[in-house]
Amino acid sequence: MMSILRHISPTRIGAPFARYSHAVEVAAPNRWLLCSGQLGIASTDAIPESVEDQASLCFEAIGACLAEANMSFADIVRLNAYVTDRAAMAAYMAVRDRFVAPPPPASTLMIVSGFTRPEFKVEVEAIAAK
């Protein structure tokens, strides 16, 4: 089966400095899934303290959205992630790497001042195509 995705890392620019692709091309015609930002909150409304546990919940929620669309983490073409502290980056990236299949999608990680509730530390959006 031919892949609908082409991961692009142009030689004219520097290599990615973490586990992501500079760009991902999706061939036509395909289905797209755009996941809203998922926060680190359990279905019981519990919000864990650690960045790692919150990030895991974000990716589990994305996984549930992907499954409803008959997709998997291998179909993700872009991630946008937000953390509230530079110190949270390593924990977030470790969790991301457990969920995201190689080759990695295009990705952006931003440090923000906060979310709708102060106990949230991580939010992750995903775009997938199949």
Side-chain angles (χ1 to χ4, degrees), residues 31-114:
R31 292 184 304 116
W32 289 81
L33 176 69
L34 290 83
C35 296
S36 294
Q38 300 299 313
L39 292 161
I41 186 168
S43 60
T44 61
D45 291 334
I47 301 169
E49 177 64 28
S50 79
V51 170
E52 185 172 6
D53 290 343
Q54 286 194 23
S56 291
L57 287 170
C58 294
F59 280 98
E60 289 168 11
I62 289 168
C65 293
L66 290 164
E68 285 290 322
N70 214 16
M71 294 182 178
S72 72
F73 284 99
D75 298 313
I76 292 177
V77 296
R78 177 157 184 78
L79 290 171
N80 290 328
Y82 312 89
V83 296
T84 57
D85 190 325
R86 189 174 309 281
M89 291 173 55
Y92 161 77
M93 289 188 288
V95 172
R96 176 203 60 200
D97 291 351
R98 286 197 324 255
F99 283 88
V100 176
S107 182
T108 298
L109 174 57
M110 293 173 267
I111 300 166
V112 297
S113 63

